[in-house]
Amino acid sequence: MSQELRRQSRPTALLIPTARGGRARRAMYLLLALSTAALYLAGESLTPAARSLVSHFVALQIGVLLKGICYLAEEIFHLQSRHHGSFWRALSACVPLHRHLPSLLVSGSAYVALFDGDRWQLGLHLILASLGHLLTFVLGLNKPSAVEMSEMFEKSKQNVAHGLAWSYYVGYLKIVLPRVKKSMEEFSRANPNVLTCRETWKLHILIPLSCDVYDDLEKVDSNIQYLTDLAETTLSRAGTKKRVYKHSLYAIRDEDNKLWHCAVEYATPLQSLHAMSQDDCAAFSREDRVEQAKLFYRTLEEILRGSRECVGTYRLVAYEGEQAGDGWGPHAPPGLSDLGVR
């Protein structure tokens, strides 16, 4: 079993991106050190260099303030609905004053102290800096890159995938997974010749990154045959009396023509991602869908890894799928025909 798991973990590691580390910030520190060293080696006079650096820093702070003022012009019309009627909350949301105001005051004071010229030139420099930033905003040159957006969403955990993964866990997996092994034990006692391998006594959750979810696994692959349903779990949930939870047991023939019996099902939230990519109102592209599917897998894996109730009750099977580029088509995903983990 362990060899098979290791064999299948390598493709998954290539499919699912890990969380971003701090390499970008370390690269910034490195470039900062190299720039400082280059300035020193250039033999530039300290005062002009300091004046230019402070001037640029002041211009950046002015740009932040101008951008915040532009956003505030919209937010003042939403004080009640978005900011509980507080102008200060709206201002703080548009301009992070606790970070930028002290920097602006310090750098502005240093700039005035280092400035070598009349006040008119000082004012002219500030006006030109403001114009430069306003042109940048108008032309849309200050928009964050796709990588920056992705990193921000991942760190804030506000992606669609995070919500879907937590909803799937809290509303379904946390309920059914602790009961899976018990259901299989009961089935094994009644059918001693079927579930002979205890390592398969878990729920196998299929996660196609293309989000193509099929209702009938037997039509997906002729090596998969429906066997029966495990014992139902009946609970009252969210106002619904006697809500039924159940899993289907399948007989799966592997590449060596050996039969394995496993409980298999798709991760149903992927249907929502697929539907969003088909609806123009969602403004959700195919690329967005694949990225969110990968993040869904990673988030769900992290959630389940930290859940004591679900230890040893599941197996996540991620694969690319038909539209994600692996040409799977009508055949089973890699690893599905040998879920028995020989």
Side-chain angles (χ1 to χ4, degrees):
M1 172 194 173
S2 59
Q3 292 179 352
E4 180 70 1
L5 286 176
R6 283 195 295 270
R7 183 181 69 81
Q8 294 191 4
S9 66
R10 286 193 290 270
T12 301
L14 295 176
L15 288 176
I16 308 301
T18 58
R20 290 184 174 93
R23 299 178 185 87
R25 181 164 291 276
R26 291 195 291 272
M28 293 177 192
Y29 292 145
L30 177 60
L31 291 175
L32 180 62
L34 291 175
S35 300
T36 304
L39 184 62
Y40 174 77
L41 294 175
E44 184 70 22
S45 178
L46 182 60
T47 300
R51 187 184 298 123
S52 299
L53 180 62
V54 171
S55 174
H56 182 67
F57 197 72
V58 169
L60 290 177
Q61 303 307 311
I62 290 175
V64 172
L65 288 177
L66 289 173
K67 185 178 181 180
I69 291 171
C70 294
Y71 281 116
L72 184 62
E74 173 66 31
E75 293 304 302
I76 57 177
F77 292 96
H78 305 276
L79 291 181
Q80 294 297 331
S81 60
R82 295 178 183 270
H83 306 286
H84 305 286
S86 173
F87 177 81
W88 178 255
R89 291 185 63 167
L91 179 62
S92 299
C94 294
V95 184
L97 296 174
H98 62 286
R99 292 201 308 266
H100 292 283
L101 189 57
S103 299
L104 180 60
L105 292 175
V106 172
S107 58
S109 301
Y111 182 62
V112 172
L114 292 170
F115 187 77
D116 185 17
D118 57 31
R119 300 301 176 186
W120 167 246
Q121 287 183 322
L122 174 60
L124 182 60
H125 287 175
L126 295 178
I127 292 172
L128 290 175
S130 300
L131 284 174
H133 281 289
L134 289 173
L135 282 174
T136 300
F137 300 151
V138 170
L139 296 175
L141 302 177
N142 65 319
K143 293 182 179 179
S145 65
V147 170
E148 289 176 297
M149 293 291 293
S150 176
E151 185 176 22
M152 284 189 292
F153 284 137
E154 284 189 30
K155 288 185 176 180
S156 64
K157 299 190 183 300
Q158 293 178 348
N159 276 282
V160 173
H162 284 100
L164 289 176
W166 274 104
S167 177
Y168 185 47
Y169 168 71
V170 174
Y172 179 66
L173 294 182
K174 192 175 181 180
I175 299 169
V176 302
L177 286 182
R179 297 172 171 83
V180 165
K181 283 198 173 182
K182 182 179 179 181
S183 297
M184 291 195 169
E185 286 174 0
E186 294 174 356
F187 183 87
S188 181
R189 283 195 294 268
N191 304 270
N193 296 323
V194 178
L195 291 176
T196 56
C197 180
R198 297 183 66 91
E199 299 298 340
T200 65
W201 291 14
K202 57 186 68 175
L203 181 62
H204 296 76
I205 303 171
L206 305 182
I207 304 180
L209 301 182
S210 64
C211 298
D212 291 317
V213 174
Y214 299 90
D215 295 326
D216 195 338
L217 285 174
E218 292 177 294
K219 293 181 179 179
V220 175
D221 189 351
S222 59
N223 292 315
I224 304 173
Q225 297 296 322
Y226 169 76
L227 188 62
T228 186
D229 290 331
L230 296 175
E232 298 177 350
T233 297
T234 304
L235 298 172
S236 294
R237 292 279 295 176
T240 300
K241 298 292 186 181
K242 299 180 180 179
R243 177 169 290 182
V244 176
Y245 299 88
K246 68 177 182 178
H247 309 290
S248 295
L249 197 65
Y250 289 89
I252 302 174
R253 191 174 301 278
D254 66 14
E255 56 189 9
D256 296 326
N257 207 35
K258 184 177 180 180
L259 277 180
W260 301 92
H261 300 92
C262 309
V264 184
E265 62 184 50
Y266 284 101
T268 52
L270 297 179
Q271 290 179 309
S272 299
L273 288 177
H274 193 278
M276 288 175 65
S277 68
Q278 303 298 314
D279 195 320
D280 293 337
C281 295
F284 200 70
S285 67
R286 176 183 174 276
E287 290 75 17
D288 292 332
R289 185 183 72 202
V290 173
E291 182 180 357
Q292 291 299 307
K294 293 179 178 180
L295 189 56
F296 172 83
Y297 174 91
R298 200 179 78 205
T299 305
L300 185 62
E301 186 180 43
E302 292 173 356
I303 294 171
L304 290 174
R305 192 186 300 127
S307 175
R308 295 181 180 178
E309 310 99 291
C310 300
V311 173
T313 62
Y314 68 92
R315 179 182 172 207
L316 303 181
V317 182
Y319 57 97
E320 288 188 282
E322 182 178 8
Q323 295 182 18
D326 68 349
W328 167 43
H331 304 292
L336 182 55
S337 291
D338 56 351
L339 283 173
V341 288
R342 296 165 291 156

